[in-house]
Amino acid sequence: MRKENFRNIAIIAHVDHGKTTLVDGLLKQSGTFQAHQQIEERVMDSMDLEKERGITITAKNTTVSYKNIKINIMDTPGHADFGGEVERSLNLVDGALLLVDSSEGPLPQTRFVLKKALDKDLPIILVINKIDRSDARIEEVTNEVYDLFIDLDATEEQIEFPIIYTNAKEGTAQYSLDESSSNLEPLFDSIIKEIKGPIADDSKEAQFLITSLDYDSYVGQVAIGRLNNGRLKINDSYSLCSENSIERNQKFSALYTFEGLKRIQVDELVAGDIIAVAGINGITIGDTIANNENPVPLPRIEVDEPTVSMLFYVNNSPFAGKEGKYLTTRHIKERLNKEILSNVSIQVLETQRTDVFEVRGRGELQMAVLIETMRREGYELMVSKPRVITKEENGKTLEPMEKVFLDIPEDKVGTITEKLSIRKGRMTNLQNHGSGRVNMEFSIPSRGLIGFRSQFLTDTQGAGIMNKLFDGYAPWFGLIPQRNSGAIVADRSGKVTTYASLGMVDRGELFLDVGMEVYSGMILGERNRPEDLNVNITKEKKLTNMRASGSDNTVNLRPPKRLSLDQSIEFIAEDELVEITPISIRLRKMELDQNKRMSARKKEKYAG
Ligand SMILES: Nc1nc2c(ncn2[C@@H]2O[C@H](COP(=O)(O)OP(=O)(O)OP(=O)(O)O)[C@@H](O)[C@H]2O)c(=O)[nH]1
Ligand SMILES: [Mg+2]
C-alpha cells in the first residue's frame, strides 16, 4: 500500500554543490518559517563545526509540507569521509535528488552517492544547480551525468531521469533553460510526481529501523528513523531488536513527528513517516523497534568498511591534566563507545595497551572532526599518524587504493606529478583544455595521500582542486617516503625565548610563539633538513654577550606557523604524536627521552 500523503527523499551530491542551500529554499517556500523570522543561511548545518568548516558533517532530516503532502527530506554530506552518512540516509527514502554543479559537473562523490542510490533502486531527479554561474556548461554537464549513469550500469528506467535546473541561492527552479522562474514550484511538483509515496501499512505489526541517534537534555537519547510498518502508540509496549538480542516490554516516554526543523510530540505515529522516539535505553543505529509479542527486525544498516586507523592515547605528556576535564582511560573509552552508537562508519578496537585505542574511520577529516568534537567537550588525548587499513588475501598484504582527480594550473603539472610519483602515484589520464588549467587523474595507494593535501595546496598556491575516490585494494607498494624534513625538538622544558627563536631562523620554521611553555621532547617546528634537531629553545641571551645595544631589534622574528589540528595530524611522522587538550594542540616525539630516541635510531641503522 502506498501512502500518497508522504514523500521521503534524500538530497545527494558531491561536496559544495548546494544541497543544504537548496533545503533552505524548500523550507522557506513551504511556509515553515514565520514572515518576520530571521533564518540563517544553511540552517540545517546546525553543528558548530559544520558552520565553521562550511560543510555538512552529519545527515539530518527536516520536513516540509506541499499541497497537503508531507515531504521528509534528508540533507546529506558531500565530503567523501562522511559517505557512511549518505549510505544510512538512503535507508529512509524512496527517491533522491542528485544535485550537480552546473560548472563542475559530476565529481568523484557524485559517482559514489549515485552508485549507492542506484544499488537501492531509488528513482532519481537530476537537479543541475548553480545555473547562475558565469562558467556554467549545462549541456555538457548533463551529458556527463548520462555517461555516469551508463558507466554505473543503470537500467533504462533509471536513465530516464527527469531534469530540473535550479539556482538554490535564489530559490528558483525551472523545467527548461529557456523559461524563467521565481520559485521552487517546479522542483516541489517534480518531487510529488516522480517520487512515489512510501509503501507502508498501518495495520501491520510495527517495524521501526533506527538510522540516527540524537541527545536531548530533557528526555535523554532520541532515536530517529522511518516507521516502515504499523503504528507506534505512547501507551503500548514494544520490543527492541538489537544485533544479538531482543528486549521485550519497552515503553516510550515520548513520540515525535517532524515539522520543519522542530520535533512535535504526539501520542501516535503512522507508518511511512520519519519519526523519533525517546525513553528506550541502549539503542544502537541499525536496531529495530518492533511488535512486543512477535518482533520481526529489519535488516541492519550496512555501510562500507573504514579505510584509515589512528591510535588514540591517554595523554601522558608532562602537561597532562592541566587543561582538560576528561583524560583517564575510562573517560576516553566511554566517549569512544558513545561515538560508535551514533556514528555508523567509525569502529573502535582495543589494543594490547589499556591506555591506547584504535579508532577506524573513512578518512583524516572524519578523524579530525571526532577529535575536535572531543576536545570541545573537555577531553585531553593524544593521537598517532593515520594509517591505512590493509587486508590479507592468499598470504598477500593488500592496501587500499585511491583515484585522485586534480584540477590544477598548467605550470604546476611537473611539480605535482613528481610529488605524486614519489608517493607511488601513477598518472592514468591527463587533459589539457587549453584554458590554462589541466585535469589529471592518478591511481595511488591511499597511504601515499596521507598528509598530501597541505603539500598540494602549498604547491599549487591554493589554486588546485583535489578529489579522491576509494578504488579497491592492490598489493602492498612497499616503502613510501613520508615527510622528508626533520623536527626541531625541545631538549629541556621551559619558556620559548626570543633569543633562542632568533637562532632558529636558518634552521627551519617554528610552530610556537615566544613565551609558550614547552617540555623536553616536544616538537617546536619543522627543520629544513632531514633528521631531528634537539635544541634549547629556552636560552636567554647572556648579558656579557651583549654587543652593540639594540642589535636584537635589527633581526625580525618571523611569526611562527601555528598548525591547525588538521595540519598537525598531516605533519606528524610515525614516531610522533599530536597532544590535544581543550586549549592547546602540541606536537611531540612519542619517546620524550632524547637518549632513548638516539639509541633507538642507532639500533634501527644497524638493523637496516
Ligand atoms: N552561485 C550559486 N552558488 C550557490 C548555489 N547554491 C549553493 N551555492 C553556494 O555553494 C556553496 C556550497 O553550498 P552548500 O549548500 O553548503 O553545499 P552542500 O552541497 O550542502 O555542501 P556539503 O554539505 O558540504 O557537501 C555555498 O557557498 C552556497 O552559497 C547556486 O545556485 N548558485
Ligand atoms: Mg550541506
Side-chain angles (χ1 to χ4, degrees), residues 15-21 42 55-56 78 129-130 132 167-168:
V15 68
D16 265 357
H17 282 192
K19 300 173 286 296
T20 310
T21 306
R42 287 177 281 171
I55 54 165
T56 303
N129 187 36
K130 306 198 190 182
D132 58 303
N167 175 340

